[in-house]
Amino acid sequence: MSQNRQELLTRDAECYAGERLRVARLNYPPRWVTIGISSMCTNHCTFCSYHSLDARDGGSNVYGLKYVMPLVRFKSQVDFFHAGRVPHVHICAPGEPFLHPDIMAMIDHVIARYGKASFQSTFNRVVMARGDYLSKILDRRVQISYIVTDIQAGEATGHEAIKRGSSFADLLTTLQILSDAGIRIIGNFIITRENHANLPGLINTLYKHGIRLRLNVENLFPHMFNEFTAMENVYHLGDRDIAASLQEARELAKATRESIELTLPTPFGDPVARCSVFWDKIQIWPVKGVDPARYDENLVPHACNAVVRGDMNSLGYVSDYPDVMALWNNPKLVALRTKILAGEAPDRFCWSCPCGVALKGSGLDKVSGPAF
Ligand code: SF4
Ligand code: SF4
């Protein structure tokens, strides 16, 4: 990396520290861009707003939207964000990235631009075998910054009940191979009132199998299309049973001597939670209501309820902007930041979000039922 680029990246990081949640028009580019490359998936995870069978009639704005991002479009977007000094792009999908026929070319393009690449997968055995993808990942082990996957329990029944269509045994085998190769793994565990007791067992299983990873314990985005995604299943401040599971998990993770690194969730109702996504990152994702021909360049914050249930279907299209700063300071994004700084909610569905509930106009006044 040239000295000039390094100096600019350092300056951007300083601006981020000074401007985050303070000003609406920013002097630094997004810290992170997630590029969703395709909607094809082998799973129907219970919580998934795109593929859960319950999402179909459950009010999801994204269920069943079909698209595949062409390689040429992917490359031009990576080049655009790299030229705009976005420090990190992440390959993801409202689906399984390894179902995209050009996935390895995409990973290699990110490596060519950034030196490293990160991506998401559920490691379906048939899909991975079809492209000999595990060997190809291992060949690039030095250039892979990390791989993200979901893991919902330390045994098959609990995991597969939530990650419908996936195989716990296959996932565990793959994680062992990746961990033995020294590849950094990030496991996402969504904690709820229903499944919090799975967490200690998960840590025990990972440790027993010698798998090193960072385990992100995350609160649920309650999309409200089935019992798992109901408001009543969300981890709230004061949930003693969940606090006890988290404490047990903390102690178990500590005993692994850093094999398992744990990050903890923000409970619903936490008074210090703030919506900071519009200062941090942006994502390319399809949403109902935008031009389907532009799904592969449609910008959203992430898959929160403002997008999945509310009215936030587009923050712009990548190719409409001459550079990253024009995109990042577009009128929609500046207006959203201005609202949040004034204590107002960006969307009528923010009441259902741990970091939006306290904002004025979050819609909470129109909601009956959920116990906060
Ligand atoms: S693997 Fe991911 S995209 Fe596929 S159904 Fe599950 S959560 Fe949705
Ligand atoms: S507060 Fe609203 S816009 Fe912010 S992350 Fe939550 S749902 Fe999304």
Side-chain angles (χ1 to χ4, degrees):
M1 189 187 307
S2 73
Q3 194 185 349
N4 189 37
R5 183 173 173 88
Q6 186 55 58
E7 283 169 6
L8 289 169
L9 287 173
T10 304
R11 190 206 66 114
D12 290 342
E14 287 166 2
C15 289
Y16 172 63
E19 296 176 9
R20 182 174 182 265
L21 284 169
R22 289 199 181 90
V23 293
R25 179 170 286 281
L26 304 174
N27 290 299
Y28 62 86
R31 304 292 75 205
W32 174 298
V33 172
T34 296
I35 304 183
I37 59 172
S38 117
S39 58
M40 294 178 280
C41 197
T42 52
N43 289 357
H44 297 285
C45 301
T46 312
F47 56 83
C48 181
S49 48
Y50 279 84
H51 300 284
S52 170
L53 298 178
D54 299 320
R56 182 174 42 204
D57 304 316
S60 168
N61 290 332
V62 296
Y63 177 82
L65 302 181
K66 292 186 176 28
Y67 87 112
V68 179
M69 181 181 289
L71 178 60
V72 66
R73 166 78 85 183
F74 176 85
K75 286 183 171 181
S76 76
Q77 287 179 346
V78 171
D79 294 351
F80 176 80
F81 291 119
H82 182 262
R85 300 196 311 276
V86 172
H88 186 70
V89 297
H90 176 66
I91 301 172
C92 196
E96 166 54 60
F98 283 84
L99 285 171
H100 195 298
D102 295 317
I103 178 65
M104 292 316 304
M106 291 174 165
I107 291 172
D108 285 341
H109 189 72
V110 177
I111 292 171
R113 284 289 167 274
Y114 279 90
K116 296 249 179 194
S118 68
F119 52 87
Q120 177 116 5
S121 181
T122 56
F123 304 116
N124 178 290
R125 186 166 50 86
V126 176
V127 173
M128 298 311 277
R130 200 163 61 196
D132 196 18
Y133 288 130
L134 205 45
S135 310
K136 290 174 182 169
I137 291 169
L138 294 174
D139 288 345
R140 293 159 177 79
R141 72 190 76 188
V142 179
Q143 289 97 18
I144 290 172
S145 41
Y146 58 86
I147 305 174
V148 182
T149 195
D150 294 331
I151 184 159
Q152 283 298 133
E155 37 70 41
T157 308
H159 176 78
E160 291 166 14
I162 297 169
K163 291 292 297 175
R164 288 189 188 152
S166 70
S167 158
F168 182 73
D170 291 349
L171 175 62
L172 211 58
T173 304
T174 308
L175 292 183
Q176 265 182 310
I177 293 168
L178 297 173
S179 179
D180 288 350
I183 294 175
R184 183 165 166 74
I185 307 163
I186 297 180
N188 285 336
F189 176 90
I190 298 173
I191 196 162
T192 66
R193 288 174 172 168
E194 179 187 310
N195 73 338
H196 63 90
N198 290 347
L199 183 59
L202 170 58
I203 294 173
N204 281 330
T205 301
L206 294 169
Y207 187 56
K208 200 169 82 190
H209 287 80
I211 297 167
R212 299 176 66 86
L213 56 62
R214 189 174 96 198
L215 190 57
N216 280 349
V217 183
E218 298 178 336
N219 208 345
L220 175 77
F221 280 139
H223 300 321
M224 296 175 274
F225 49 66
N226 54 25
E227 280 185 17
F228 189 84
T229 60
M231 277 312 295
E232 291 76 6
N233 201 24
V234 173
Y235 164 37
H236 285 62
L237 194 69
D239 276 339
R240 288 196 194 148
D241 291 346
I242 297 184
S245 291
L246 287 170
Q247 179 57 26
E248 189 181 350
R250 256 196 302 264
E251 285 162 15
L252 287 169
K254 197 170 164 200
T256 69
R257 294 182 296 280
E258 298 179 359
S259 277
I260 312 291
E261 184 196 335
L262 201 63
T263 67
L264 298 173
T266 305
F268 195 92
D270 185 333
V272 300
R274 300 281 308 273
C275 175
S276 63
V277 65
F278 304 101
W279 282 265
D280 296 344
K281 61 184 179 180
I282 199 138
Q283 181 158 323
I284 297 171
W285 227 239
V287 186
K288 196 163 75 183
V290 307
D291 179 356
R294 304 189 84 181
Y295 279 168
D296 61 7
E297 59 164 339
N298 183 51
L299 296 160
V300 295
H302 53 188
C304 62
N305 264 358
V307 175
V308 173
R309 300 299 309 267
D311 303 319
M312 200 178 290
N313 62 359
S314 182
L315 302 178
Y317 299 109
V318 177
S319 70
D320 284 349
Y321 303 99
D323 55 49
V324 170
M325 290 312 296
L327 176 160
W328 191 225
N329 280 322
N330 78 29
K332 276 190 183 177
L333 277 159
V334 171
L336 288 168
R337 292 186 197 114
T338 304
K339 270 187 122 172
I340 292 172
L341 293 175
E344 292 170 26
D347 187 84
R348 65 191 167 93
F349 260 89
C350 293
W351 65 268
S352 59
C353 176
C355 57
V357 65
L359 294 167
K360 282 183 291 198
S362 68
L364 185 58
D365 52 328
K366 300 192 191 74
V367 175
S368 60
F372 302 119

